[in-house]
């Protein structure tokens, strides 16, 4: 696993270097791995600071998006009125691109953390709500019959049967959410901010400090991958009963 | 084999009979059965045989209150309804994969009260030991064999401690030896309760039933079938048992051909 990650990483760096040699572009158009690494080392203090801001935005967005998303799914499942009023709103909210409302959010919530967290929350909310709601609806009918013969109340059935049965679906939604979360934060930073990796990239770009921009991009990618693996690891620990049968159907 | 196990302090000192009157259920306008009258004798096993698709399971589900469209009067021997007085066991063990065996067998208490009382957990351990699952109490269902899973489902049914037990082909997915053993365990553990067992296996009905009915025709009707002499658990090795089994099989094949004219007779 570690070796494979290392080989993939080294391969990508090599391909990048080959591209730099082949195109012979000036450094402000396409910096190579060496220049980017140098920028990373030279400017590590500001990259670290802006990276921390972006990471905080993403994590807060993930937390709020998960809470609001799973809360909405539970409401949709439990109340018919919620389905009639909330479901259309949920769909409409996805019809409006986040890009389009990003300037509005900055206008309303300011240049600080709040507008970026709101953006990340908006992006994360939908995959979480949609997958969890799907999972809640697809409970094995036999389990529900069993609960009925045991005189379970609708709440008890939701709490003890539908909810745990839907956790694998919620886990899929969370993995998707972890993957798209950085998009929300970075869009917010582009539209208007005074900190974060998106802000740093915009500033570097304007000053033709393309090597710094690449360094920030590298850290952003690293952040995304780390977030995905952290979420994946956490979910595996939380759902140990879930069978993972992918090896059974592997084609060698 | 140890002595028959009796649940301590069962609230149903006197067994309950079940009356079904005018049961009717239709799928897409075609009645599966209508005006069906049927009785389960108190404290005895009633076995329901019939070709597949005839409506045996549906009738059982109607009694269990699991069919939203069925109609009919279903009452216990004391005149009251069946709400809260039945336990249901299906062919699928319906164990929840995220709970361990102990959590699964005490599911009813958790659904009703939010938790299982210490006394109930103790009883669960006793019953699990009784069916040979004492050492598996803290394992998840995925690690259990088919027979062990169905034994856990049997314990879950027992712990509900209801006077009426409805069993829908609970042993039909098991291998012959496991089925044979589980039939004996169920007969001993459910002694004194009113049991309705739906099955497609004539031998199972003859081994376990105090009374046997055959369901056939469209709309389906119920006919009593002869039972071998003696009390269940009967041994299948005497002459009468085998003669009745052969006759019963013939009637079932005939009922099936009547239902699907193209399928061919015996």
């Amino acid at each position: 696993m570690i070796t494979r990650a290392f080989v993939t990483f080294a391969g990508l760096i090599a391909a990048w270097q080959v591209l730099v040699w082949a195109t012979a572009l000036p450094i402000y158009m396409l910096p190579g791995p060496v220049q980017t690494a140098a920028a990373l080392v030279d400017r590590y203090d500001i990259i670290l600071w802006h990276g921390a801001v972006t990471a905080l935005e993403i994590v807060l967005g993930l937390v709020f998006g998960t809470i609001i998303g799973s809360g909405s799914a539970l409401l949709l499942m439990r109340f018919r009125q919620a389905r009639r009023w909330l479901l259309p709103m949920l769909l409409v909210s996805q019809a409006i691109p986040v890009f389009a409302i990003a300037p509005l959010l900055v206008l309303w919530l300011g240049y600080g953390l709040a507008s970026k967290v709101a953006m990340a929350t908006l992006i994360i909310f939908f995959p979480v709500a949609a997958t969890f709601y799907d999972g809640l609806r697809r409970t094995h009918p036999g389990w529900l019959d069993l609960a009925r013969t045991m005189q379970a109340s609708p709440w008890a059935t939701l709490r003890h049967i539908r909810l745990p049965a839907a956790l694998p679906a919620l886990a899929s939604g969370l993995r998707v959410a972890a993957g798209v979360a950085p998009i929300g934060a970075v869009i917010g930073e582009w539209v208007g901010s005074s900190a974060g990796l998106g802000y740093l990239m915009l500033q570097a770009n304007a000053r033709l400090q393309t090597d710094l921009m690449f360094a920030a991009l590298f850290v952003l990618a690293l952040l995304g991958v780390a977030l995905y693996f952290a979420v994946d690891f956490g979910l595996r620990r939380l759902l140990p009963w879930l069978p993972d049968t992918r090896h059974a159907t592997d084609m060698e | 084999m140890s002595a028959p196990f009796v649940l301590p302090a069962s609230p149903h000192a006197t067994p309950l009979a079940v009356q079904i009157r005018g049961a009717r259920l239709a799928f897409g306008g075609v009645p599966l059965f209508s005006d069906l009258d049927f009785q389960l004798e108190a404290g005895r096993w009633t076995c329901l045989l019939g070709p597949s698709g005839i409506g045996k399971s549906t009738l059982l589900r109607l009694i269990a209150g699991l069919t939203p469209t069925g109609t009919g009067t279903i009452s216990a021997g004391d005149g009251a309804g069946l709400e809260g007085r039945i336990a249901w066991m299906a062919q699928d063990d319906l164990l929840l994969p995220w709970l361990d065996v102990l959590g699964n067998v005490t599911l009813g208490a958790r659904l009703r009260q939010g938790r299982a009382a210490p006394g109930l957990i103790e009883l669960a351990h006793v019953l699990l030991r009784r069916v040979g699952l004492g050492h598996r109490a803290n394992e998840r269902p995925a690690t259990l064999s088919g027979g062990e899973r169905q034994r856990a489902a049997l314990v879950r049914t027992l712990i509900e401690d209801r006077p009426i037990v409805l069993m829908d082909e609970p042993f039909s997915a098991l291998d012959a030896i496991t089925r044979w053993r589980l039939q004996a365990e169920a007969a001993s553990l459910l002694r004194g309760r009113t049991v309705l067992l739906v099955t497609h296996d004539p031998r199972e009905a003859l081994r376990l039933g105090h009374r046997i009915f055959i369901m056939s025709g469209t709309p389906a009707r119920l006919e009593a079938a002869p039972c071998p002499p003696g009390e269940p658990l009967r041994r299948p090795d005497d002459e009468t048992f085998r003669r009745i089994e052969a006759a019963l099989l013939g009637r079932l094949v005939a009922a099936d051909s009547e239902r699907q004219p193209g399928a061919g007779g015996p």
Side-chain angles (χ1 to χ4, degrees), chain A residues 17 23 69 150 238:
Chain A
Q17 185 60 59
T23 55
M150 291 172 164
L238 280 172

Side-chain angles (χ1 to χ4, degrees), chain A residues 63-140:
Chain A
V63 169
F64 288 127
T66 304
I67 291 171
I68 300 172
S70 39
S72 309
L74 286 170
L75 278 179
L76 286 173
M77 191 61 229
R78 190 63 190 81
F79 300 106
R80 206 158 58 92
Q81 288 303 319
R83 277 200 287 284
R84 293 177 58 183
W85 293 97
L86 202 61
L87 206 56
M89 273 171 54
L90 214 129
L91 295 172
V92 169
S93 82
Q94 282 310 292
I96 304 169
V98 183
F99 276 104
I101 52 171
L104 272 177
L105 285 176
V106 172
L107 185 69
W108 292 336
L109 299 172
Y111 280 77
L113 204 66
S115 55
K116 284 75 189 172
V117 173
M119 208 90 66
T121 304
L122 263 177
I123 268 195
I124 289 155
F125 161 81
F126 189 73
V128 171
T131 53
F132 193 32
Y133 179 48
D134 245 24
L136 287 169
R137 281 162 54 202
R138 292 197 184 154
T139 316
H140 187 327

Side-chain angles (χ1 to χ4, degrees), chain B residues 23 25 42 49 80 107-108 119 122 131 136 165 189 192 196 221 242 247 262:
Chain B
L25 194 132
L49 281 164
L107 179 69
E122 209 174 297
V131 300
R136 313 300 293 267
V165 177
L189 288 165
L196 173 62
R221 15 172 236 289
R242 269 184 271 170

Side-chain angles (χ1 to χ4, degrees), chain A residues 3-189:
Chain A
T3 356
R4 227 160 355 100
F6 183 76
V7 169
T8 309
F9 183 72
L12 284 172
I13 298 286
W16 177 12
Q17 185 60 59
V18 168
L19 192 71
V20 170
W21 282 331
T23 55
L25 285 167
I27 187 166
Y28 60 86
M29 293 285 281
L30 179 64
V34 181
Q35 289 90 352
T36 304
L40 203 59
V41 173
D42 284 351
R43 316 291 295 275
Y44 81 95
D45 47 347
I46 62 159
I47 291 175
L48 210 62
W49 154 244
H50 290 289
V53 170
T54 302
L56 183 65
E57 292 164 359
I58 294 172
V59 169
L60 284 178
L62 204 57
V63 169
F64 288 127
T66 304
I67 291 171
I68 300 172
S70 39
S72 309
L74 286 170
L75 278 179
L76 286 173
M77 191 61 229
R78 190 63 190 81
F79 300 106
R80 206 158 58 92
Q81 288 303 319
R83 277 200 287 284
R84 293 177 58 183
W85 293 97
L86 202 61
L87 206 56
M89 273 171 54
L90 214 129
L91 295 172
V92 169
S93 82
Q94 282 310 292
I96 304 169
V98 183
F99 276 104
I101 52 171
L104 272 177
L105 285 176
V106 172
L107 185 69
W108 292 336
L109 299 172
Y111 280 77
L113 204 66
S115 55
K116 284 75 189 172
V117 173
M119 208 90 66
T121 304
L122 263 177
I123 268 195
I124 289 155
F125 161 81
F126 189 73
V128 171
T131 53
F132 193 32
Y133 179 48
D134 245 24
L136 287 169
R137 281 162 54 202
R138 292 197 184 154
T139 316
H140 187 327
W143 293 342
L144 298 176
D145 285 344
L146 186 66
R148 269 176 73 187
T149 65
M150 291 172 164
Q151 284 90 51
S153 67
W155 272 117
T157 308
L158 185 64
R159 153 91 180 72
H160 291 285
I161 298 192
R162 279 193 190 273
L163 198 134
L167 290 181
L170 175 64
S172 306
L174 283 176
R175 288 195 181 95
V176 174
V180 298
I183 300 175
V186 171
I187 292 170
E189 288 167 2

